């Protein structure tokens, strides 16, 4: 490959670096999901008190809102986990780091920040127009 020919794929070493980043993010995201699920099940367990005082009604409302936001957070994390797992598949099949719109190599800085991305910044900006 001569120096003015643009690189089409990342090397095995480079892919190994991204794989390590993705694995670390996956571990953290999975921990967060189990923490959220534990928190939610604790909240469900503690909700067995049937006293209907006005304060209790307010607490229930706040509790419901908190459960809702925890469920949303868990759902976002599950989606993130799926995207990271898909990125690992792309590493294995050799398509990782290639923009699905432009076919160009996604810069390493972008992949380090958003390791599951499939778009260069240019392609992402075009999509948002």
């Amino acid at each position: 490959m001569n120096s003015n020919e643009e690189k089409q794929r990342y090397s095995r070493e480079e892919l190994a670096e991204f794989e390590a980043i993705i694995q670390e993010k996956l571990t953290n995201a999975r921990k967060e999901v189990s923490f959220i699920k534990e928190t939610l099940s604790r909240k469900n367990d503690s909700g067995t008190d049937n006293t209907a005082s006005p304060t209790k009604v307010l607490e229930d409302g706040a509790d419901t809102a908190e459960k809702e936001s925890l469920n949303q957070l868990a759902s976002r994390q599950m989606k993130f986990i799926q995207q990271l797992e898909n990125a690992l598949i792309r590493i294995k099949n050799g398509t990782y780091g290639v923009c699905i719109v432009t076919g160009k190599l996604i810069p390493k800085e972008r992949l380090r920040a958003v390791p599951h991305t499939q778009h260069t910044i240019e392609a992402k900006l075009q999509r948002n127009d």
Side-chain angles (χ1 to χ4, degrees):
M1 175 164 102
N2 63 34
S3 58
N4 50 358
E5 193 180 311
E6 212 173 310
K7 203 162 104 165
Q8 295 298 306
R9 299 259 187 262
Y10 283 113
S11 72
R12 270 208 186 121
E13 293 74 22
E14 290 165 322
L15 290 175
E17 178 199 339
F18 294 126
E19 188 170 359
I21 292 170
I22 291 168
Q23 291 290 6
E24 187 184 341
K25 287 189 182 291
L26 263 174
T27 302
N28 293 337
R30 286 180 179 136
K31 277 183 196 160
E32 198 164 323
V33 167
S34 16
F35 176 76
I36 294 167
K37 285 181 175 171
E38 279 171 34
T39 305
L40 282 168
S41 74
R42 270 200 305 277
K43 288 195 171 303
N44 290 336
D45 293 346
S46 66
T48 52
D49 184 14
N50 281 341
T51 52
S53 70
T55 319
K56 180 74 181 133
V57 172
L58 282 173
E59 281 172 9
D60 284 349
D63 213 37
T64 302
E66 191 181 352
K67 279 182 197 169
E68 237 169 74
S69 83
L70 282 170
N71 275 318
Q72 285 174 346
L73 189 59
S75 158
R76 273 199 304 271
Q77 282 293 25
M78 298 295 281
K79 188 177 171 196
F80 183 50
I81 287 169
Q82 187 61 61
Q83 291 171 327
L84 290 169
E85 285 172 345
N86 290 343
L88 286 177
I89 293 167
R90 290 194 300 279
I91 285 177
K92 282 184 180 44
N93 69 22
T95 59
Y96 182 81
V98 179
C99 178
I100 59 174
V101 176
T102 65
K104 290 181 181 166
L105 218 49
I106 301 166
K108 282 185 182 181
E109 301 69 48
R110 175 151 169 75
L111 288 171
R112 284 187 187 114
V114 191
H116 59 284
T117 189
Q118 291 185 272
H119 298 93
T120 56
I121 288 289
E122 299 77 27
K124 186 170 171 43
L125 292 174
Q126 285 169 15
R127 268 183 42 199
N128 292 342
D129 284 349

